[in-house]
Amino acid sequence: MSILVALVCCWTACRDDVTSAGSGVLDKDDAIVVYVDTFPLASMIDSCKAIVSQADSFLLGEMETDYGTLRGSVLTQLACPDGYSYPKNAEVDSMFLFVYYDSWTGDPNAALAVDAYQMDKATFNYSTVYPTDLNIDDYCTREKPILTNRRIVVATEKLDSIKNSDGVYIPMLKMRVNEEFQNYFWSIRSFENQDTFNKQFMGLLLESSFGSSTMLNISTIALGVYYHFSYSKAGRDTTVNDMKAFYANSEVRTVNQLTYEDKHLTIENLKKDSDTYNYIISPACAYTRLVFPLGRITDSIMSHMIGEINGEEDTLRRPYVNKAEVRIDVTNVYKGSESQKQRNDWLQPASYMLLIKESSMERFFANKELPSDTCALLSPLIQGKDATGESIYYYNYDLSDFITNQLRQDTHIDQLQMMLVPVSLNAVSGNAVTNYSSVRQQETMSVTQIESAKNGTDFEIVYSGFTLPVEH
């Protein structure tokens, strides 16, 4: 079944005579009219070149699936502790790189190797927007490894991991840096401000050198400097052991570089199935475009807004779209047990999907805008029941305000092209209402398979028109 367009309105009980709904209780001079029109809707898959890297978690590793092989590397600055200084007689003992990960995608028992390098060619500008397809060679030669040895990681291991104050297990990697990097970083004594610090230390690159079954979702990166110093008190020498942490936090830039092997071939193979299914694959792989015949919709609606009102011919009524819902049916929600998951079952539909005007995408995400009825509509993944009681999953969008706004415009648009984009949210709750402080292109892995509308789907719109009050 194609993408369903569902309408719920008070007139649906009188579908065969919907244009005269309510006329029995209205004076004919009020001239309120209600119509239902049906229009074709089309969909198609399209490649996503890159997205804006502004996540709060970052993919590290490599994962091979039927939708392509994704590699994730992380480049990050470290925050300068403004105004800090080591004690004068301090001596370094060791340094460790700490990498925390919230979760992982793929086989939790498959190994991957983690390498780390010093960025030695360029660093980031805090106010610049960086895409996920940036070239690592512009920032790092990979000639300055910082670890004593590459780290072999199994996602479920608890070798370095700790528990927080609530007793919750926090996955972590603790990797010792080599002597060359330790001596260099210890020699840095300029902590006046971030710009000065960045000139001496441009940042770090984390990447995976082997393993193709697991991706880690990195949440926190920090460099821990362990040192000791002594002081004399009451004629006695005392030694103090201390540690200073340098974090990759919100004060500096962290960028996720994401690459797909043979991405073009993957998209072309998915298009072969486009009569039945379309796909939205994150991060930065494939989106689905919905095409609305906005010109036909506008012309049809406005043609019903002209008529004889109060004895005057060709009077224009004011149009309102009352209902125009689009339901996007999702077909790949995994319903089996965790132990029976296959390779592609790890990639599940996005929890939130944005329907956004294609012409507004670049501006929307670069400027960190929020959804609005005139640009972008947001839907969670909704679980419902079909006629047999089986679970169904879908996204739902109401374009009534969107189309009503377009009817107010002077410009004529023949086709409205909108993209389905998986997003992650930052929520702010209060007074039993949840608002969103940010909506960003999703950088975690997901695959959303939806029913195609390539051969045309009926898009049904309920709209009305009435005259404005006449002043006497």
Side-chain angles (χ1 to χ4, degrees):
M1 185 173 61
S2 297
I3 297 176
L4 297 179
V5 180
L7 294 167
V8 181
C9 67
C10 62
W11 301 292
T12 52
C14 305
R15 283 287 303 277
D16 293 337
D17 192 24
V18 71
T19 58
S20 63
S23 60
V25 295
L26 295 172
D27 188 287
K28 65 176 183 179
D29 287 341
D30 289 333
I32 296 178
V33 294
V34 179
Y35 291 93
V36 175
D37 271 348
T38 302
F39 305 91
L41 176 66
S43 66
M44 61 205 71
I45 189 173
D46 197 9
S47 176
C48 173
K49 181 177 181 293
I51 61 177
V52 176
S53 183
Q54 52 182 5
D56 50 14
S57 66
F58 304 89
L59 289 177
L60 177 63
E62 180 177 317
M63 190 166 176
E64 180 181 351
T65 74
D66 289 348
Y67 308 102
T69 299
L70 173 65
R71 294 187 181 92
S73 302
V74 182
L75 298 95
T76 186
Q77 298 171 326
L78 297 179
C80 170
D82 289 353
Y84 178 78
S85 61
Y86 295 111
K88 290 184 179 181
N89 63 349
E91 296 182 18
V92 64
D93 296 314
S94 60
M95 293 185 191
F96 288 87
L97 182 63
F98 296 90
V99 177
Y100 297 83
Y101 53 100
D102 290 332
S103 58
W104 57 85
T105 302
D107 187 347
N109 298 309
L112 69 149
V114 175
D115 294 307
Y117 300 89
Q118 185 176 341
M119 289 168 55
D120 54 2
K121 293 182 70 175
T123 191
F124 300 127
N125 184 323
Y126 186 80
S127 60
T128 299
V129 174
Y130 293 93
T132 52
D133 64 344
L134 83 169
N135 187 354
I136 289 179
D137 292 340
D138 292 339
Y139 298 89
C140 183
T141 63
R142 295 183 176 85
E143 293 177 356
K144 295 184 179 181
I146 71 166
L147 301 180
T148 53
N149 294 290
R150 67 170 50 165
R151 174 62 188 276
I152 307 301
V153 181
V154 176
T156 54
E157 72 179 2
K158 299 182 180 180
L159 181 62
D160 300 324
S161 301
I162 60 175
K163 289 185 177 181
N164 63 16
S165 57
D166 297 324
V168 177
Y169 161 68
I170 302 176
M172 180 187 71
L173 307 177
K174 182 180 179 181
M175 301 172 286
R176 187 162 189 159
V177 306
N178 58 37
E179 186 175 1
E180 180 182 0
F181 178 78
Q182 177 177 296
N183 291 338
Y184 173 77
F185 198 83
W186 181 250
S187 69
I188 300 175
R189 289 295 188 273
S190 298
F191 301 126
E192 293 87 358
N193 56 64
Q194 189 67 48
D195 289 339
T196 301
F197 180 70
N198 288 343
K199 291 176 182 177
Q200 298 178 87
F201 179 71
M202 296 181 182
L204 295 174
L205 163 66
L206 300 179
E207 64 181 6
S208 175
S209 54
F210 77 81
S212 59
S213 300
T214 310
M215 300 287 286
L216 303 180
N217 293 316
I218 305 299
S219 58
T220 304
I221 299 171
L223 181 68
V225 179
Y226 292 83
Y227 63 92
H228 68 273
F229 64 95
S230 60
Y231 67 95
S232 179
K233 184 176 181 179
R236 300 179 60 181
D237 290 334
T238 300
T239 299
V240 177
N241 296 302
D242 205 352
M243 189 271 281
K244 183 64 181 176
F246 294 77
Y247 288 95
N249 57 24
S250 59
E251 299 174 6
V252 295
R253 291 307 305 268
T254 302
V255 178
N256 211 169
Q257 194 243 27
L258 303 168
T259 59
Y260 283 88
E261 185 178 294
D262 298 325
K263 181 177 179 179
H264 174 74
L265 181 61
T266 297
I267 300 297
E268 291 305 309
N269 286 334
L270 291 175
K271 286 181 178 179
K272 296 176 182 178
D273 196 26
S274 59
D275 282 346
T276 307
Y277 299 114
N278 294 141
Y279 296 86
I280 305 101
I281 303 172
S282 72
C285 182
Y287 292 157
T288 289
R289 177 185 294 106
L290 298 184
V291 181
F292 297 83
L294 192 58
R296 288 178 57 184
I297 293 172
T298 301
D299 291 344
S300 179
I301 292 176
M302 296 310 296
S303 70
H304 290 106
M305 297 297 107
I306 299 176
E308 182 178 323
I309 304 174
N310 294 326
E312 297 183 15
E313 295 184 355
D314 299 332
T315 303
L316 185 65
R317 298 179 177 89
R318 187 172 179 82
Y320 284 92
V321 177
N322 304 98
K323 209 69 174 179
E325 289 189 355
V326 178
R327 197 179 91 182
I328 310 297
D329 286 311
V330 178
T331 60
N332 68 315
V333 175
Y334 180 70
K335 301 175 183 178
S337 66
E338 193 75 15
S339 61
Q340 295 177 326
K341 276 186 175 181
Q342 302 299 312
R343 167 168 97 160
N344 290 318
D345 293 331
W346 298 106
L347 301 176
Q348 285 298 287
S351 298
Y352 293 91
M353 191 72 69
L354 196 70
L355 180 63
I356 181 171
K357 289 174 65 175
E358 186 172 5
S359 60
S360 302
M361 279 183 58
E362 183 175 350
R363 182 208 74 220
F364 181 91
F365 291 110
N367 295 342
K368 301 180 181 180
E369 297 179 21
L370 295 176
S372 68
D373 291 335
T374 59
C375 175
L377 304 171
L378 180 68
S379 174
L381 180 63
I382 302 169
Q383 180 178 3
K385 298 289 184 181
D386 64 13
T388 66
E390 290 293 320
S391 293
I392 57 174
Y393 297 84
Y394 58 92
Y395 306 103
N396 199 70
Y397 306 94
D398 185 357
L399 280 75
S400 55
D401 288 343
F402 196 104
I403 298 176
T404 298
N405 180 73
Q406 183 59 42
L407 295 173
R408 306 282 188 267
Q409 307 301 316
D410 294 329
T411 57
H412 187 279
I413 301 175
D414 185 45
Q415 289 188 336
L416 172 64
Q417 301 195 36
M418 302 189 76
M419 304 295 283
L420 289 167
V421 180
V423 293
S424 58
L425 311 176
N426 281 343
V428 178
S429 299
N431 299 322
V433 176
T434 299
N435 296 310
Y436 302 107
S437 60
S438 69
V439 176
R440 298 173 294 185
Q441 290 160 296
Q442 183 172 296
E443 289 194 37
T444 53
M445 295 187 73
S446 73
V447 172
T448 307
Q449 182 187 69
I450 65 174
E451 293 183 349
S452 173
K454 183 173 183 179
N455 296 321
T457 294
D458 289 340
F459 176 43
E460 197 171 58
I461 299 178
V462 176
Y463 59 96
S464 58
F466 61 90
T467 56
L468 297 174
V470 177
E471 297 183 2
H472 296 285

